[in-house]
C-alpha cells in the first residue's frame, strides 16, 4: 500500500474508533443514554443516591456510578483526562481543577446553568466559594455538598458562667480565661488531624485581611510572614500555652475531640456543618441538641473581615466533561439539578443548591445552620485551599510544632513562605 493509502486507512480507523466510542457512550441498543459518574460515594450514599433516585424519573437515561476510594480519585481523573476519556460526571477537588479548565475539558457551569435556565438554583455563597477555588476562572464545579464552618458552643455552659458569645478575638480570649478560671476547658481541638490547628490561624487572618486572604497569598499580593499572620500564629500558640485547648492536643483525633465537646467536657469546638448529623444524634450528643449553638469566627479589631463572611468548603465537587456534553446531557442536567436541592434536603444533606421545601422533622439547629448558609455574602477559603500538596503538608505538620513551642510563630511562617516560593 502506498503512503496516501496508508494515511486514508489511518483516517478511516480513527473515524471508526471515535464513532463507535461516541455511539457506545451515548446510547445502548434500546436508545437509552448512559451517563457515567465517577465518585467516592457508594450508590446508597450522598449525592450518588440523590442522583440515582432522580435519574430513575428519566426513562431516556441510565446513570451508572463507579465508586473508587477518595484517596485515589484525583489520580484516576488525571489518568482519564490524559487519555481524553473523562466520564460525563465526576467528583474532584475543585481547587485542583485549573488544568482541566485551561485545557477546556470541563464545562463552564455558570454558562451552562444560565443557558438551561437553572442558575438561580445555586446559592450565591456556594458560587462565590467555587469561583474562588477555580482561581477566579469561573464556575466549573457544582456544590453537591456545602459546609459552613465556625465555633459550636455549649449554650448551657455559657449561660451558667454569664458569658456572651464573643464577637472579637480579644473577647474570645477573655471568655476562654473565664472558662479556665471556672475549671472548664475552653476548646476541644483535634490536633492529631492537624488541620483543626491551622483553622484557628486561618480564622484570625481572614478577619485581619478579609475573606480573600489566601487567594492574595497565592497571587503574591500578601506574604504569610506579614504582620497579620504573625499575630495569628502567636495567638494560636498562646492559646495552647494557656491550656485553652486542653492537654495533649496533638494526640486528640477527630472523634475524640467531638466527643469531648458533646460530653460536656469543653465549651467550644471549631468544626463545620458536616457535624450536624452527630449533633442531631441523641446517643452521641450528651449535652442535648438545645444546648448546641454556633457563632461565626470573631473579628479582629481594625481588620477587613466582617461577620457576613463565613469560612466554607464544598468537599469534593461535581464537574462534567466538556467533550461528552450534548443537548440530551443538558436536558438531563436541567431536570436533575432543578430538583437536587429539595431531594438533598429530604436526605438531610445541606448543599449549595436552594431547597424550596424544608421537611417538618428537621431540627431547629439544622434550620438555623441552613439560614446561615443562605445568608453568606462572602465565602472564605480554608488555610491550605490554594496550596500545593507539599506546602499543605508542611503547613499542617509544622502546626503541631507551633502548638508545642518547638517552632516559634516566625519560624513556622518563614518555613511555610520558603515552601510556597519553591
Amino acid at each position: 500500500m502506498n503512503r496516501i493509502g496508508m494515511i486514508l486507512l489511518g483516517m478511516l480507523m480513527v473515524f471508526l474508533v471515535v464513532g463507535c466510542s461516541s455511539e457506545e457512550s451515548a446510547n445502548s441498543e434500546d436508545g437509552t443514554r448512559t451517563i457515567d459518574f465517577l465518585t467516592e460515594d457508594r450508590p446508597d450514599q450522598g449525592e450518588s443516591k440523590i442522583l440515582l433516585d432522580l435519574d430513575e424519573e428519566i426513562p431516556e437515561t441510565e446513570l451508572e456510578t463507579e465508586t473508587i476510594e477518595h484517596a485515589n480519585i484525583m489520580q484516576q481523573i488525571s489518568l482519564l483526562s490524559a487519555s481524553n476519556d473523562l466520564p460525563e460526571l465526576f467528583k474532584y477537588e475543585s481547587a485542583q481543577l485549573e488544568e482541566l479548565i485551561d485545557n477546556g475539558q470541563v464545562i463552564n457551569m455558570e454558562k451552562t446553568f444560565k443557558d438551561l435556565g437553572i442558575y438561580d438554583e445555586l446559592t450565591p455563597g456556594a458560587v462565590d466559594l467555587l469561583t474562588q477555588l477555580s482561581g477566579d476562572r469561573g464556575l466549573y464545579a457544582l456544590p453537591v455538598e456545602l459546609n459552613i464552618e465556625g465555633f459550636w458552643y455549649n449554650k448551657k455552659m455559657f449561660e451558667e458562667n454569664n458569658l456572651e458569645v464573643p464577637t472579637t478575638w480579644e473577647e474570645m480570649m477573655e471568655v476562654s480565661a473565664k472558662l479556665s478560671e471556672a475549671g472548664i476547658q475552653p476548646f476541644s481541638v483535634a490536633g492529631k488531624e492537624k488541620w483543626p490547628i491551622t483553622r484557628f490561624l486561618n480564622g484570625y487572618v481572614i478577619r485581619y485581611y478579609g475573606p480573600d486572604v489566601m487567594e492574595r497569598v497565592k497571587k503574591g499580593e500578601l506574604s504569610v510572614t506579614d504582620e497579620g499572620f504573625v499575630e495569628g500564629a502567636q495567638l494560636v500558640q498562646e492559646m495552647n500555652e494557656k491550656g485553652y485547648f486542653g492537654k495533649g492536643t496533638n494526640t486528640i483525633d477527630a472523634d475524640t475531640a467531638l466527643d469531648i465537646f458533646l460530653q460536656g467536657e469543653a465549651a467550644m469546638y471549631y468544626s463545620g456543618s458536616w457535624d450536624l448529623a452527630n449533633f442531631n444524634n441523641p446517643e452521641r450528643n450528651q449535652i442535648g441538641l438545645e444546648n448546641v449553638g454556633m457563632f461565626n469566627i470573631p473579628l479582629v479589631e481594625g481588620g477587613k473581615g466582617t461577620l457576613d463572611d463565613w469560612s466554607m468548603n464544598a468537599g469534593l465537587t461535581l464537574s462534567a466533561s466538556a467533550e461528552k456534553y450534548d443537548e440530551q446531557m443538558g436536558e438531563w442536567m436541567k431536570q436533575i439539578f432543578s430538583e437536587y436541592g429539595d431531594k438533598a434536603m429530604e436526605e438531610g444533606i445541606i448543599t449549595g443548591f436552594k431547597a424550596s421545601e424544608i421537611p417538618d422533622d428537621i431540627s431547629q439547629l439544622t434550620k438555623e445552620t441552613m439560614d446561615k448558609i443562605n445568608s453568606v455574602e462572602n465565602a472564605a477559603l480554608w488555610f491550605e485551599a490554594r496550596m500545593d500538596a507539599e506546602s499543605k503538608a508542611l503547613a499542617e505538620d509544622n502546626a503541631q510544632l507551633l502548638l508545642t513551642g518547638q517552632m516559634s510563630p516566625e519560624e513556622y511562617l518563614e518555613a511555610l513562605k520558603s515552601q510556597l516560593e519553591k
Side-chain angles (χ1 to χ4, degrees):
M1 184 178 296
N2 61 28
R3 184 171 179 272
I4 294 177
M6 290 289 289
I7 292 174
L8 290 174
L9 178 59
M11 292 175 64
L12 177 61
M13 291 180 68
V14 169
F15 174 78
L16 289 173
V17 168
V18 171
C20 290
S21 174
S22 175
E23 189 172 348
E24 286 173 2
S25 68
N27 298 295
S28 62
E29 291 182 358
D30 63 359
T32 302
R33 165 71 180 266
T34 298
I35 297 173
D36 292 321
F37 175 35
L38 186 64
T39 175
E40 84 283 18
D41 286 329
R42 299 193 312 264
D44 61 344
Q45 290 180 319
E47 84 291 329
S48 289
K49 181 177 187 306
I50 297 169
L51 292 175
L52 284 165
D53 287 349
L54 291 172
D55 181 64
E56 285 185 359
E57 301 171 8
I58 307 175
E60 298 84 6
T61 60
E62 181 174 353
L63 183 68
E64 291 192 353
T65 63
E66 179 183 355
T67 303
I68 64 174
E69 291 184 9
H70 186 151
N72 297 329
I73 203 163
M74 300 292 288
Q75 182 181 18
Q76 181 68 9
I77 290 299
S78 294
L79 291 171
L80 292 171
S81 67
S83 58
N84 203 26
D85 192 27
L86 288 171
E88 277 85 351
L89 299 172
F90 59 93
K91 300 287 289 296
Y92 205 64
E93 289 274 2
S94 50
Q96 306 299 323
L97 271 173
E98 293 177 355
E99 185 174 343
L100 296 182
I101 296 171
D102 292 345
N103 290 338
Q105 291 178 285
V106 288
I107 65 171
N108 183 322
M109 290 295 184
E110 178 175 349
K111 181 180 184 305
T112 301
F113 269 44
K114 284 182 175 176
D115 288 346
L116 297 174
I118 57 173
Y119 187 67
D120 289 343
E121 297 292 333
L122 298 168
T123 61
V127 171
D128 181 58
L129 173 69
L130 296 181
T131 300
Q132 287 188 60
L133 287 171
S134 74
D136 287 332
R137 288 167 171 77
L139 181 68
Y140 287 84
L142 294 176
V144 288
E145 66 173 284
L146 187 67
N147 295 298
I148 193 171
E149 299 182 10
F151 288 95
W152 304 94
Y153 72 105
N154 186 319
K155 291 181 178 178
K156 187 178 180 182
M157 276 187 182
F158 269 57
E159 184 178 346
E160 290 176 346
N161 289 278
N162 298 313
L163 298 173
E164 299 289 335
V165 168
T167 57
T168 67
W169 279 87
E170 186 177 3
E171 290 177 2
M172 191 151 78
M173 292 297 278
E174 292 172 358
V175 165
S176 300
K178 290 178 180 177
L179 286 165
S180 286
E181 290 169 6
I184 299 170
Q185 181 177 317
F187 297 93
S188 180
V189 180
K192 188 175 182 179
E193 312 294 347
K194 304 174 185 176
W195 64 262
I197 305 171
T198 60
R199 286 297 208 275
F200 276 78
L201 173 54
N202 194 57
Y204 190 88
V205 297
I206 67 173
R207 294 308 188 220
Y208 191 103
Y209 292 108
D212 60 345
V213 54
M214 297 314 296
E215 184 62 28
R216 293 171 66 192
V217 169
K218 175 77 173 180
K219 293 177 179 176
E221 298 171 4
L222 289 172
S223 168
V224 292
T225 56
D226 287 347
E227 183 179 357
F229 287 89
V230 176
E231 287 184 13
Q234 289 172 338
L235 192 67
V236 173
Q237 191 174 67
E238 179 186 347
M239 294 172 83
N240 191 56
E241 287 175 348
K242 290 185 173 180
Y244 295 167
F245 296 162
K247 295 180 180 178
T249 309
N250 286 339
T251 66
I252 303 296
D253 62 23
D255 278 338
T256 303
L258 177 64
D259 287 336
I260 288 173
F261 175 66
L262 289 182
Q263 292 174 13
E265 297 174 13
M268 292 176 279
Y269 169 66
Y270 185 91
S271 176
S273 51
W274 59 81
D275 269 326
L276 280 170
N278 294 313
F279 299 150
N280 288 321
N281 181 353
E283 294 182 1
R284 189 160 194 181
N285 181 354
Q286 299 299 302
I287 64 176
L289 188 58
E290 71 281 6
N291 288 320
V292 179
M294 185 189 200
F295 63 86
N296 202 349
I297 296 167
L299 302 175
V300 171
E301 188 173 351
K304 294 182 179 178
T306 77
L307 293 178
D308 291 326
D309 310 329
W310 284 83
S311 183
M312 302 181 78
N313 74 73
L316 287 183
T317 52
L318 182 71
S319 291
S321 165
E323 184 185 19
K324 294 180 180 173
Y325 182 82
D326 56 20
E327 184 177 354
Q328 188 176 14
M329 186 69 189
E331 288 300 314
W332 183 87
M333 291 178 66
K334 181 177 182 178
Q335 182 165 341
I336 293 289
F337 293 114
S338 296
E339 303 174 33
Y340 192 88
D342 286 332
K343 186 67 177 176
M345 186 52 58
E346 289 176 12
E347 300 291 332
I349 299 173
I350 297 178
T351 73
F353 289 82
K354 295 175 183 174
S356 60
E357 297 180 7
I358 307 299
D360 294 336
D361 58 351
I362 197 170
S363 75
Q364 183 63 31
L365 183 63
T366 302
K367 288 180 183 176
E368 292 173 358
T369 306
M370 287 178 54
D371 289 341
K372 285 183 173 67
I373 290 176
N374 291 331
S375 71
V376 171
E377 294 188 5
N378 297 300
L381 302 180
W382 59 101
F383 194 60
E384 303 88 350
R386 302 290 289 145
M387 295 182 189
D388 57 66
E390 290 78 13
S391 299
K392 176 180 182 293
L394 183 136
E396 294 181 346
D397 290 345
N398 285 351
Q400 291 186 321
L401 302 179
L402 175 69
L403 275 198
T404 59
Q406 291 169 276
M407 292 187 85
S408 70
E410 291 78 9
E411 289 172 335
Y412 171 76
L413 296 168
E414 283 290 350
L416 181 56
K417 178 184 177 183
S418 297
Q419 180 63 45
L420 289 170
E421 290 175 346
K422 287 182 179 176

